Amino acid sequence: MYYNNGQTYTVTTIGQFAFNDYDQVTSVTLPETITTIAQYGFDATLLTELVIPNSVTQIGSKAFEYSMLKKITLGSGIVNIDGLAFDGCSELTDVTTLATTPYAISANTFPANVKANVTLHVPAQSVEAYKSATNWGGFKAYAAISDTPGTSTIVDMIENGGLVYKLDHDNLTAKLAAAYKIKASFNVAGYSGAVVVPETVEANEKTYTVTSLEAEAFYQMEPVTIKLPETLLTVGWETFWAIPSLENLVFPNSVETIEDGCVWGCKAITEITLGSGMKTLGGKSSSSGYCFGSLDALTNITSLATTPPTATATTFQPQVKANATLTVPAGTVEAYKAAPNWDGFKEYIEMTNPGTGVDTIDAAGTMTVRYFTLQGMEITNPAEGQIVIEIRNGKSIKTVFRK
């Protein structure tokens, strides 16, 4: 602002040729009142660094042409930058834009010979969006923001192998994010095929432990297999919703809580294992009548917990119980039958090795071995992750098969 004749005036525009080489200006701080930078506003300026405030929405053509800029930060409020804005900026090597959604630029806003020298820094969740946005391709490199004036140095979301995580900086924990909610900003290819969720992820020069799956994390995704980490504590509501090809699902021993409507409409799933640390199983959700429901192929549920987890009347769909055998630790069948909402399964089976549940993870081909389903049918080629009875060296054990 400035005052003249008793009136207050707010500076909103950088006009044509406001700064150029004749001014010999080497440092400028722009106020948050600026909304527009006119064409030729910084023409041939001697400035080497400049921060455009978040208030700026429009930048005109040739605004920085032939300037000596090496580094520029473009605020989060920009809507459009006209053509040739950075024409002739031969010294420019570092451009940071704080806008999470790519805004409109012309094909020659950053001429090709300028782009070839520039690393473009953008918000961490927006890297892929900028790479694919109109006229934003062709930069020398793309990087997540790590240290930009006026913004946090901490990223809140990261992508790791096509899986996206939300970070809790206070507890150094990470939550696997719901894929369908973030497709526009991230590459979420890791939610399909053979999915392996790691125990930890690296970000902000720190290690975050993966402890939860966000509600709807795999909603209508297409994983064929899912390996969950032993650091997992909570699985959100409707996490495994309408997954077409998933046949087996193992909740690690670390998992304590499964929320409402967790496994619903997975038509191919035949076996589910609940780990030994399981304490609470949810009920119906807003979209499902049961926590475990509409599972037409499910025939086996194994619970490794010696104390039956808390279940509600809407944890297991009656038809699921009627079709499924429940396998539990030795000596606990009667406890499960008597526990609230654990009645009504087709059959109850106790494990042969007390308290162990899954005894080994087998590497196929190490020695002569025979495999049987939990119903006693011999099979020669168990599926990855399938729960089987293994006979090896005269000993039978219950195991999760690994190829």
Side-chain angles (χ1 to χ4, degrees):
M1 295 183 181
Y2 69 93
Y3 300 91
N4 187 35
N5 296 325
Q7 299 295 317
T8 300
Y9 297 84
T10 300
V11 179
T12 60
T13 302
I14 301 297
Q16 292 189 25
F17 302 105
F19 299 94
N20 55 55
D21 56 343
Y22 295 109
D23 299 320
Q24 301 291 304
V25 173
T26 58
S27 178
V28 172
T29 300
L30 300 178
E32 285 286 348
T33 57
I34 298 295
T35 60
T36 304
I37 296 176
Q39 62 178 344
Y40 305 110
F42 290 87
D43 180 73
T45 179
L46 298 183
L47 293 170
T48 58
E49 293 191 19
L50 184 63
V51 175
I52 305 300
N54 294 331
S55 56
V56 172
T57 60
Q58 300 287 333
I59 295 178
S61 63
K62 300 186 178 182
F64 304 100
E65 73 164 357
Y66 301 113
S67 73
M68 298 300 292
L69 283 173
K70 296 180 179 179
K71 181 177 182 179
I72 188 169
T73 297
L74 302 168
S76 61
I78 292 177
V79 175
N80 181 73
I81 303 179
D82 290 337
L84 297 174
F86 294 92
D87 185 35
C89 293
S90 59
E91 300 296 315
L92 189 63
T93 59
D94 194 317
V95 174
T96 295
T97 178
L98 304 185
T100 56
T101 300
Y103 42 85
I105 61 174
S106 300
N108 60 357
T109 292
F110 295 93
N113 63 328
V114 173
K115 283 185 176 180
N117 297 324
V118 170
T119 296
L120 182 68
H121 297 266
V122 302
Q125 69 269 35
S126 304
V127 172
E128 295 302 321
Y130 272 91
K131 285 182 179 179
S132 60
T134 302
N135 299 322
W136 284 98
F139 285 91
K140 177 182 178 181
Y142 297 79
I145 292 171
S146 58
D147 188 8
T148 303
T151 189
S152 172
T153 61
I154 304 297
V155 295
D156 296 321
M157 295 179 68
I158 63 163
E159 178 187 325
N160 184 314
L163 297 171
V164 179
Y165 302 88
K166 295 181 177 179
L167 307 177
D168 182 333
H169 309 304
D170 294 331
N171 298 304
L172 290 181
T173 58
K175 174 187 293 185
L176 180 70
Y180 84 98
K181 296 179 181 179
I182 52 178
K183 285 185 176 180
S185 301
F186 288 93
N187 167 26
V188 294
Y191 288 82
S192 299
V195 177
V196 178
V197 181
E199 293 188 353
T200 61
V201 292
E202 302 294 325
N204 305 313
E205 299 183 350
K206 296 179 180 179
T207 299
Y208 294 76
T209 302
V210 180
T211 58
S212 60
L213 305 184
E214 184 178 34
E216 302 178 307
F218 289 97
Y219 186 93
Q220 293 186 335
M221 294 292 103
E222 297 186 355
V224 177
T225 61
I226 301 176
K227 181 175 173 54
L228 299 174
E230 285 289 348
T231 54
L232 203 63
L233 299 175
T234 304
V235 178
W237 50 268
E238 297 181 11
T239 295
F240 305 98
W241 179 279
I243 301 174
S245 300
L246 186 66
E247 296 182 0
N248 300 282
L249 184 58
V250 177
F251 293 95
N253 294 330
S254 57
V255 174
E256 298 178 350
T257 302
I258 292 178
E259 295 181 354
D260 298 342
C262 182
V263 187
W264 177 268
C266 300
K267 301 299 186 180
I269 199 164
T270 60
E271 301 184 43
I272 294 175
T273 298
L274 307 173
S276 61
M278 193 70 67
K279 296 179 180 179
T280 304
L281 301 176
K284 65 181 180 179
S285 68
S286 59
S287 303
S288 67
Y290 297 90
C291 186
F292 298 89
S294 192
L295 305 173
D296 299 344
L298 183 65
T299 57
N300 295 286
I301 296 177
T302 298
S303 178
L304 304 182
T306 55
T307 300
T310 299
T312 74
T314 55
T315 293
F316 299 104
Q317 186 179 29
Q319 190 60 41
V320 167
K321 287 184 177 181
N323 293 336
T325 295
L326 178 65
T327 303
V328 297
T332 65
V333 162
E334 295 306 318
Y336 271 87
K337 287 181 177 179
N341 304 306
W342 283 95
D343 59 323
F345 282 91
K346 177 182 179 181
E347 185 179 7
Y348 294 79
I349 295 178
E350 289 189 350
M351 301 171 190
T352 56
N353 292 335
T356 59
V358 175
D359 297 282
T360 71
I361 300 298
D362 181 62
T366 56
M367 61 180 71
T368 301
V369 62
R370 297 173 67 189
Y371 297 102
F372 295 82
T373 66
L374 298 183
Q375 289 72 41
M377 181 182 296
E378 185 167 9
I379 49 178
T380 56
N381 294 300
E384 173 77 11
Q386 184 175 359
I387 301 171
V388 296
I389 302 299
E390 172 194 296
I391 298 179
R392 185 192 299 268
N393 289 342
K395 179 183 177 182
S396 64
I397 58 174
K398 186 170 180 290
T399 180
V400 175
F401 182 78
R402 293 284 182 258
K403 294 182 179 180

